[in-house]
Amino acid sequence: MESLSQSTVFTWLSTKSSVSFTTGEQSYSRHIETEYPKGFSRYRIVFSEQAVSTTQCQLDINTALETWLASLDAKLSLALIKRDCGLTCVEVCTSTSLNQSQIASISETDSLELFELAVDAPQLSQAGLLVMDMDSTAIEIECIDELAEMAGVGQAVAEVTELAMQGELDFEQSLRGRVAKLKGADAAIIDTLCGKLPLMPGLKEMIAELQSHGWRTVVASGGFTPFVKHLKQLLALDAAFANKLDIENGKLLGTVSGQVVDAQYKADTVLNCAKQWQIPIGQRVAIGDGANDIPMINTADFGIAYHAKPKLVQAADVSINRLNLKVLPYLFQRT
């Protein structure tokens, strides 16, 4: 966890042993994650590592937080939430729920996100399942777009990809249409792209944290098998599903074979994997970024939108909009 600046409330929270603290007209109590005050609303404020990379930025963040805390007309209890993901997380429990204006006033602070913790949020320390989309979620690119660029048909494919991500086109129809434009391309472009696949920031840390608590981790992608297999091996994932590109004599045929991994297939993956590994209800989590992930998000007990399209944000239980994937374990609870 990043170090907090030596400012009043956070100095007390991070270094003092007293159970209460008063500054100005606001009083605070302290709790630990597993013993939060019952009946209070729970919020978690997460700082990015960039936010505290310099002393001045650190002071600005903590000053903004202390000013915000002092403005809340409620009983407050605070806790530091510790994960092995390298971020700072402060849990703020309030005797009355925050209103939209109060949430908005702190959410405007750069490099910081506030999340309300649901009463039934998944338990980090119990066996769980995470099913991830790949393109623009687990990795920073859309593989079909990159392959198309390498094959010299980038613009034509990218336009179709964006419409599909917005939910304006049938996924299978758009997939087959885009793949058709790759016909005749050298299959070597697949290995080239695998060799430089850009992982989403925070992916490794997030996966390692979940795996350390016995979670199962899966990729279900509308992309292609070479890339999900690469991720599976690199991150020791439990399973990976994607579409099979047809290749003959070292050339792409412009087709895919087998069952298409579409939106419904992704949703079914949540159920099938949970059944296979006996993951209990409440512990099935999915994360994605596009409209094609909505059925998967709705099927999971806890759906996360990651830097997502508007339609998915509306469907998800929570949205990560500013920070990276390191945030995800902080959205879970311990009891």
Side-chain angles (χ1 to χ4, degrees):
M1 184 181 70
E2 298 286 350
S3 62
L4 294 169
S5 70
Q6 297 305 299
S7 52
T8 53
V9 174
F10 295 130
T11 299
W12 161 71
L13 187 62
S14 59
T15 65
K16 307 299 182 182
S17 59
S18 57
V19 297
S20 62
F21 177 78
T22 299
T23 178
E25 297 182 358
Q26 183 64 274
S27 295
Y28 305 90
S29 59
R30 177 202 303 272
H31 67 274
I32 60 174
E33 181 177 2
T34 56
E35 297 179 7
Y36 62 93
K38 304 303 180 184
F40 278 44
S41 297
R42 300 172 74 187
Y43 302 90
R44 289 188 176 172
I45 298 173
V46 186
F47 305 33
S48 76
E49 60 269 44
Q50 289 84 4
V52 292
S53 59
T54 68
T55 300
Q56 186 57 51
C57 287
Q58 189 173 342
L59 289 172
D60 289 346
I61 284 283
N62 288 336
T63 298
L65 276 175
E66 290 198 3
T67 300
W68 178 74
L69 288 170
S71 72
L72 301 180
D73 185 19
K75 294 180 180 179
L76 301 178
S77 184
L78 308 180
L80 293 178
I81 304 301
K82 297 183 179 180
R83 303 285 186 264
D84 291 328
C85 290
L87 301 183
T88 296
C89 179
V90 178
E91 180 170 271
V92 181
C93 292
T94 63
S95 58
T96 57
S97 297
L98 300 181
N99 59 44
Q100 288 302 311
S101 176
Q102 290 169 322
I103 292 173
S105 65
I106 190 60
S107 297
E108 294 172 356
T109 304
D110 290 338
S111 302
L112 170 157
E113 285 199 70
L114 180 147
F115 305 93
E116 182 170 6
L117 192 67
V119 174
D120 58 351
Q123 299 286 335
L124 178 62
S125 53
Q126 297 179 12
L129 168 69
L130 175 67
V131 179
M132 302 176 287
D133 175 44
M134 179 177 70
D135 294 346
S136 298
T137 300
I139 62 175
E140 294 187 287
I141 61 172
E142 296 285 328
C143 285
I144 182 65
D145 290 355
E146 296 297 318
L147 290 176
E149 192 68 32
M150 296 165 75
V153 292
Q155 184 59 38
V157 168
E159 291 173 356
V160 180
T161 296
E162 181 60 24
L163 290 174
M165 291 295 292
Q166 295 287 357
E168 303 298 328
L169 292 178
D170 171 77
F171 176 79
E172 182 172 351
Q173 180 184 19
S174 69
L175 173 69
R176 294 189 185 278
R178 288 176 289 172
V179 171
K181 297 181 185 297
L182 300 177
K183 184 176 181 180
D186 192 328
I189 63 176
I190 294 175
D191 291 336
T192 299
L193 186 55
C194 273
K196 58 179 183 180
L197 208 60
L199 303 184
M200 191 63 71
L203 176 67
K204 288 185 176 180
E205 293 87 347
M206 175 193 74
I207 293 296
E209 176 78 353
L210 295 182
Q211 290 175 339
S212 73
H213 292 282
W215 278 60
R216 300 285 188 165
T217 52
V218 175
V219 167
S221 171
F224 308 111
T225 51
F227 306 111
V228 298
K229 288 180 179 179
H230 177 77
L231 285 181
K232 184 175 184 290
Q233 181 178 12
L234 182 65
L235 301 171
L237 304 178
D238 293 284
F241 306 93
N243 298 296
K244 181 179 182 298
L245 281 170
D246 296 326
I247 301 172
E248 188 174 286
N249 298 323
K251 300 291 183 180
L252 297 179
L253 298 182
T255 57
V256 293
S257 57
Q259 185 173 357
V260 169
V261 178
D262 58 8
Q264 187 56 52
Y265 190 103
K266 289 184 175 185
D268 291 342
T269 297
V270 174
L271 298 177
N272 293 338
C273 288
K275 181 178 180 180
Q276 176 183 350
W277 295 313
Q278 298 182 317
I279 304 299
I281 293 175
Q283 294 292 103
R284 304 169 301 181
V285 179
I287 184 170
D289 71 290
N292 191 51
D293 297 313
I294 291 175
M296 177 177 74
I297 292 296
N298 287 338
T299 299
D301 304 308
F302 191 72
I304 303 170
Y306 181 73
H307 294 211
K309 306 299 182 183
K311 289 184 178 180
L312 183 64
V313 170
Q314 292 176 2
D317 295 293
V318 66
S319 295
I320 301 172
N321 299 316
R322 291 181 175 176
L323 305 181
N324 63 38
L325 290 173
K326 293 180 182 180
V327 172
L328 188 145
Y330 296 95
L331 305 178
F332 301 164
Q333 61 181 324
R334 286 174 171 165
T335 58

